[in-house]
Amino acid sequence: IGLVDRLGQQNEHDVLLRLLFEDPSDGVRWAIVRRLKGVPDERVIARMREVDPQSDNIPILALAGRVWYSRDRERGVAMLRRAIELERSRPAVDWGELTFAFELLTKDAVADKRFDEAADLLRRQADRSQDGQNVPDAVIQLFALHAYAERPLSGFERDLAAYGPPLGRPNMLDEIVTFARRVGGRSRPLAPLAYAATAMSEMRARRSFSRQR
């Protein structure tokens, strides 16, 4: 990882790209993704887009999907989707670099009203970030999705059992609905995710205030 940081500082992007394809360590490859994702060099970006969309290299797919998305949304989404599907059976420490893929695909599913798909993505995000102490952002969004989807979603009782009482939040859905309704109704676009952010902020503020008293 130290070598990756040094190469990044020296702008050795060609070397990093070669390592991204050849290094067998997922940890090293994800560190390279973290270094390359914001590189503005069009020549480097063009090489990132040369990735085979059927590759089974998850970090490469995540990076390529990210850079393709702004030019060819459909192709970018397909690569990001393949990356997270492969990750289902090959989980690894990705330094948060797959969060972009999960969030983008979740928003895409909500926008197209594919709510069950969005719920599945949120459950996976929640499980990836569960620490037993804090309520993951994805859990708040998941219950907001249950509250605002146009039809009942499957798995509500399972979600309540998995993410509610173990975190000390047995009435989580009621709290989210109450907070969310303060800022609007069902008519706003992407309601579940937009309202979740407000609900989450207020819940955290309340917990922080309670601890200080």
Side-chain angles (χ1 to χ4, degrees), residues 48-89:
M48 294 179 194
R49 292 195 177 111
E50 294 174 358
V51 172
D52 178 358
Q54 296 305 310
S55 170
D56 62 359
N57 185 323
I58 300 172
I60 285 179
L61 285 169
L63 181 63
R66 180 188 285 265
V67 297
W68 266 114
Y69 187 78
S70 60
R71 173 176 290 188
D72 184 333
R73 178 179 176 276
E74 185 175 343
R75 186 165 185 166
V77 165
M79 287 185 160
L80 294 173
R81 191 181 302 282
R82 179 166 173 78
I84 66 169
E85 285 307 311
L86 289 171
E87 191 269 348
R88 190 190 293 270
S89 60

Side-chain angles (χ1 to χ4, degrees), residues 50-182:
E50 294 174 358
V51 172
D52 178 358
Q54 296 305 310
S55 170
D56 62 359
N57 185 323
I58 300 172
I60 285 179
L61 285 169
L63 181 63
R66 180 188 285 265
V67 297
W68 266 114
Y69 187 78
S70 60
R71 173 176 290 188
D72 184 333
R73 178 179 176 276
E74 185 175 343
R75 186 165 185 166
V77 165
M79 287 185 160
L80 294 173
R81 191 181 302 282
R82 179 166 173 78
I84 66 169
E85 285 307 311
L86 289 171
E87 191 269 348
R88 190 190 293 270
S89 60
R90 289 164 44 199
V93 177
D94 58 54
W95 313 104
E97 295 303 330
L98 268 181
T99 300
F100 170 82
F102 275 103
E103 290 181 350
L104 188 149
L105 293 174
T106 300
K107 290 177 181 178
D108 188 64
V110 171
D112 290 344
K113 298 185 179 182
R114 303 192 311 273
F115 295 132
D116 286 313
E117 179 183 334
D120 180 60
L121 288 165
L122 288 168
R123 291 182 190 107
R124 290 183 59 191
Q125 292 178 72
D127 292 341
R128 284 162 47 85
S129 56
Q130 192 79 270
D131 62 9
Q133 300 297 319
N134 300 298
V135 180
D137 294 1
V139 169
I140 304 296
Q141 294 172 350
L142 175 60
F143 281 98
L145 189 63
H146 278 297
Y148 284 92
E150 296 177 347
R151 59 179 176 76
L153 303 181
S154 61
F156 172 70
E157 294 298 332
R158 181 179 69 246
D159 292 337
L160 195 61
Y163 305 120
L167 293 175
R169 316 295 295 186
N171 299 314
M172 185 181 293
L173 181 62
D174 292 337
E175 292 186 56
I176 292 172
V177 171
T178 298
F179 290 138
R181 284 177 177 166
R182 292 180 187 173

Side-chain angles (χ1 to χ4, degrees), residues 179-211:
F179 290 138
R181 284 177 177 166
R182 292 180 187 173
V183 293
R186 293 174 182 266
S187 61
R188 291 190 180 183
L190 299 183
L193 299 181
Y195 294 160
T198 300
M200 184 167 54
S201 297
E202 293 203 30
M203 289 174 70
R204 286 175 174 167
R206 285 181 55 186
R207 288 203 301 272
S208 177
F209 178 75
S210 297
R211 286 196 296 267

